[in-house]
Amino acid sequence: SIIDVKVTKKDLDDLKIHYGIENKKIILYVGRLMKRKNADILIRAFYKIKKVEDDVCLLIIGDGECRYQFEELCRELKIEKDVLFLGAIKNKDLPRYYCACDVFVFPGSNEPWGLVLNEAMYFGKPVIATYGVGAAYDLIKEGVNGFIVHEKDAEALYRAIKKIISDQELQRNMGMESKKIIEDGYTYDKMVEGFRKAVEYVRVRAGVKNKCQKS
């Protein structure tokens, strides 16, 4: 489990030096690069941010059929130097990226859950997602540990990101709230137990139904 991985200050310093982002505010995306994940909407929101915030970068972790298209979009918008496509990263290495970022963004559509939100929150980060992400309804308290925005709305995504990265105190408080929400009810153990109870409930209900049909 990635939550068992310990991240040191040296790990974070080495990561930032490696990518040349020592003095940058870091926006992070983790997920497949496919159409319904809407990484292109995040890129367009980032383009707006770059107009008003110079010390910011976007890290995109993941791969997929839309990667070339998204890289081309960055070139068209002339932000290719500040959007780093890192490809697939091993799970054991992901904690360093979660810890390094200032805000985690997951702008997908038709997402039944979105475990990456749990992971980012476990590492104490503010999170932004859309109404198309199932986990957002349970995990994000609007304005407390992050924001939920409408799908494919680059302007709303821009405003939410800017609000967080331009206010260090808000960012810190939101990160603390994210950690608290996860530890209070959404640890892996609690989620597994909840899933087990759900399966047991369905199994029992199915048994009762079968008995009724036989009788």
Side-chain angles (χ1 to χ4, degrees):
S1 168
I2 71 168
I3 65 175
D4 296 322
V5 177
K6 303 301 180 186
V7 180
T8 66
K9 183 178 182 303
K10 185 178 184 305
D11 291 330
L12 298 183
D13 290 343
D14 289 347
L15 182 148
K16 291 178 180 180
I17 290 171
H18 177 74
Y19 292 113
I21 54 174
E22 298 96 313
N23 300 310
K24 301 280 188 179
K25 297 171 183 174
I26 300 171
I27 301 162
L28 177 65
Y29 166 91
V30 178
R32 291 283 297 167
L33 298 183
M34 53 196 296
K35 191 172 180 60
R36 70 178 177 86
K37 301 288 187 177
N38 299 330
D40 56 326
I41 304 300
L42 173 56
I43 289 169
R44 292 187 183 282
F46 179 75
Y47 168 72
K48 293 173 177 287
I49 290 170
K50 277 299 295 179
K51 288 183 174 181
V52 295
E53 294 270 354
D54 188 52
D55 60 339
V56 63
C57 67
L58 171 60
L59 302 187
I60 295 180
I61 292 177
D63 221 330
E65 62 268 26
C66 292
R67 175 168 176 169
Y68 176 79
Q69 175 188 331
F70 295 161
E71 289 177 330
E72 184 61 29
L73 175 60
C74 291
R75 286 189 285 271
E76 289 175 9
L77 297 174
K78 295 182 170 50
I79 53 173
E80 69 273 18
K81 291 182 180 179
D82 297 295
V83 181
L84 306 183
F85 289 83
L86 308 184
I89 299 288
K90 292 179 180 179
N91 279 348
K92 68 180 180 64
D93 294 323
L94 280 176
R96 293 189 303 155
Y97 295 88
Y98 284 127
C99 289
C101 79
D102 294 285
V103 59
F104 179 81
V105 184
F106 193 55
S109 299
N110 301 316
E111 286 288 339
W113 185 257
L115 190 60
V116 288
L117 282 181
N118 295 65
E119 294 173 348
M121 287 172 60
Y122 177 83
F123 290 101
K125 298 301 171 177
V127 290
I128 299 171
T130 71
Y131 289 104
V133 177
Y137 296 88
D138 291 315
L139 297 182
I140 300 179
K141 295 181 181 179
E142 185 71 12
V144 176
N145 72 308
F147 298 105
I148 308 176
V149 301
H150 290 289
E151 299 166 57
K152 302 182 185 299
D153 189 338
E155 177 65 25
L157 195 55
Y158 153 71
R159 290 196 302 267
I161 296 171
K162 186 176 183 299
K163 189 165 186 177
I164 292 173
I165 65 172
S166 62
D167 188 335
Q168 284 192 338
E169 185 176 358
L170 177 65
Q171 180 183 312
R172 183 170 54 252
N173 290 339
M174 282 188 162
M176 290 168 56
E177 288 295 330
S178 281
K179 180 85 169 165
K180 185 174 183 296
I181 289 168
I182 288 296
E183 291 180 343
D184 284 351
Y186 291 93
T187 61
Y188 281 116
D189 288 343
K190 289 179 179 178
M191 289 181 68
V192 168
E193 178 61 15
F195 181 73
R196 186 195 67 76
K197 288 180 178 178
V199 170
E200 179 65 15
Y201 174 79
V202 171
R203 187 186 68 79
V204 171
R205 292 289 296 174
V208 169
K209 184 177 180 180
N210 287 338
K211 284 182 181 179
C212 290
Q213 288 174 341
K214 287 178 182 178
S215 61

